[in-house]
Amino acid sequence: MAWPRDDAKLDRVRALMRDRGLDALVVRAPDNVVYLTNFWGMKGYDAVVFPAEGEPTLICLEPSRDDAERTAWTTELRLFGGYDERDPRPPSLRALDHAAAASEQYEAIGIELSLGTQAADRMIGEPTTYPKAWFDAFPHAQDATPLLNEARALKTPQEVERMRLANEIAAAAMEHVQGVIRPGLTEAQIASEWLGFVHGEGTGWAGKVELAYGFSLVWSGPGIRTFTATADRSVVEGEPTLFEIWVCADGYCCDHTKNLVPGELTERYRELEAGLMGVYEDAVAFCTPGASLPELDRRIRAGLAELGFPGQPTHPICHGVGARAHEPPYAHQAGGGEVAEGMVLAIEPGCYWEEGGGLRVEDNFLITAGGAEKLSSFPDGIVAA
């Protein structure tokens, strides 16, 4: 939907550009295009030329013209066809022609040279990647990714408002599945209940969300493991069904891990929940402005080792959230950085038994001067269904 131009965000980007001597950024990752223009494209072919001085130029597919004119903060719009009867090249190269022309007046240019992952466009199932020609067109460009990471790490009030909407949708979807989950349903069936709610009810949410979609990994009982797919295993009575879930609402995300249990929770899981929640609550309390991100990683992993899970988990225990569900900063004991006011962090300790089963908890926290504010209304820990 159309949001007022977020000048606090754009001014921060331009200040960082001036610090690095950059005249313009030329970006095409969908999350960075959303961040700089508020336009969330369909196919990931779109780009923006964002100058340190003057108005940006948005380059987008011709069929997206109405969406761009309605939602984008840019006044300069250049269109290219997805199909051109005179030009057999892929449409991304027609976008590149426009980007090169719109940026030729600038000397010092930054592009996304070191982008590790790319957030999806609105056609989430088919994210686009960069052709070699894109990099060849800017042979003297600096890497803009560290600059954009630094800018995006601190959220503006508008960004927080948009992320609250994603958190609200995710929580409401969990309340929906809390009412329908039962033994006999499969992980995939209960995942589809959650996903269907996000898309069906989240789209149009509060009159403020044009498009909401979800991503889920759902595991139950012994199926709880890291980095495995949802399957046709049945929901287990007395053991948690774990929901690793994201919502993206008009380009802004939340990232949670929530747990439901039908029936009476087993004693083994009660003990695990009590121990893990202690580690989690200690980590949340630690996340105040100025706290060390490397120390946060060490602190959580030391707590898990005391519970009998040394070396766990294999996934990150804290990362940023924003225009991607996973974005910098990351807490890593071999890295650096500090927690800062204005960050939104996903904190997610987890521990897993070798034979299968285990537990993870995760929510998103806005870092304020007084500490970490939980953004989701759905409870942490294992919730009765």
Side-chain angles (χ1 to χ4, degrees):
M1 63 173 285
W3 287 82
R5 189 176 66 189
D6 194 346
D7 287 321
K9 176 169 66 174
L10 304 184
D11 289 347
R12 180 161 65 238
V13 174
R14 288 191 167 103
L16 291 170
M17 291 171 65
R18 287 190 285 270
D19 287 346
R20 290 161 171 78
L22 287 172
D23 299 321
L25 304 179
V26 182
V27 304
R28 55 153 289 186
D31 49 317
N32 284 328
V33 174
V34 167
Y35 182 77
L36 294 173
T37 72
N38 196 47
F39 173 70
W40 192 20
M42 285 294 296
K43 283 292 291 179
Y45 297 144
D46 315 284
V48 59
V49 177
F50 186 87
E53 306 291 340
E55 289 299 313
T57 298
L58 177 62
I59 298 151
C60 75
L61 276 168
E62 190 278 330
S64 297
R65 178 174 187 160
D66 288 348
D67 284 346
E69 290 179 342
R70 179 170 47 83
T71 64
W73 297 327
T74 57
T75 56
E76 176 69 22
L77 183 64
R78 300 193 185 188
L79 303 170
F80 61 94
Y83 174 83
D84 189 324
E85 62 189 13
R86 302 158 301 174
D87 183 358
R89 298 179 302 161
S92 59
L93 296 184
R94 289 191 282 280
L96 175 57
D97 289 345
H98 283 293
S103 61
E104 62 183 1
Q105 62 182 297
Y106 305 110
E107 292 186 7
I109 290 174
I111 67 172
E112 301 136 312
L113 287 173
S114 61
L115 194 65
T117 58
Q118 178 172 322
D121 45 69
R122 294 207 287 178
M123 293 181 68
I124 177 65
E126 193 179 43
T128 56
T129 55
Y130 294 70
K132 181 175 181 294
W134 186 269
F135 301 98
D136 292 345
F138 306 99
H140 304 297
Q142 298 181 37
D143 185 7
T145 300
L147 181 156
L148 289 163
N149 287 346
E150 182 177 345
R152 286 174 51 171
L154 302 180
K155 304 303 188 280
T156 64
Q158 184 188 110
E159 290 182 284
V160 173
E161 181 182 356
R162 297 173 72 163
M163 295 177 72
R164 288 187 191 277
L165 291 169
N167 275 268
E168 288 174 12
I169 295 166
M174 283 304 304
E175 291 169 359
H176 167 71
V177 296
Q178 186 180 13
V180 299
I181 190 172
R182 64 182 187 274
L185 290 177
T186 67
E187 295 171 350
Q189 286 171 331
I190 200 63
S192 71
E193 289 282 348
W194 187 88
L195 290 165
F197 186 97
V198 170
H199 192 46
E201 302 299 325
T203 298
W205 187 264
K208 295 182 178 181
V209 176
E210 186 167 309
L211 174 63
Y213 66 74
F215 170 83
S216 72
L217 291 171
V218 176
W219 312 309
S220 192
I224 297 174
R225 300 175 183 267
T226 58
F227 301 112
T228 58
T230 299
D232 62 354
R233 291 177 292 258
S234 293
V235 168
V236 179
E237 184 171 2
E239 296 190 2
T241 295
L242 182 153
F243 293 73
E244 163 61 35
I245 47 177
W246 315 339
V247 169
C248 187
D250 292 339
Y252 273 82
C253 301
C254 69
D255 178 13
H256 301 158
T257 305
K258 302 298 181 182
N259 301 272
L260 296 174
V261 58
E264 187 70 22
L265 186 65
T266 64
E267 185 61 30
R268 184 189 193 199
Y269 267 108
R270 285 192 187 282
E271 293 177 0
L272 182 62
E273 179 189 24
L276 184 60
M277 289 300 293
V279 173
Y280 179 64
E281 290 164 3
D282 175 77
V284 173
F286 181 78
C287 286
T288 57
S292 164
L293 286 169
E295 179 58 29
L296 176 62
D297 185 47
R298 284 190 289 266
R299 191 182 189 99
I300 288 177
R301 293 179 188 278
L304 296 176
E306 289 182 10
L307 296 180
F309 298 92
Q312 290 202 32
T314 58
H315 55 75
I317 52 79
C318 178
H319 59 84
V321 187
R324 289 209 309 265
H326 296 79
E327 64 180 39
Y330 289 89
H332 196 291
Q333 58 192 282
E338 294 182 346
V339 175
E341 185 175 355
M343 288 180 173
V344 175
L345 300 177
I347 301 173
E348 53 173 318
C351 46
Y352 312 92
W353 291 302
E354 186 176 350
E355 68 274 17
L359 190 61
R360 178 158 84 238
V361 291
E362 178 185 15
D363 212 307
N364 300 160
F365 295 87
L366 171 65
I367 305 303
T368 71
E373 176 195 346
K374 185 175 182 289
L375 293 184
S376 172
S377 61
F378 198 83
D380 294 312
I382 303 173
V383 179

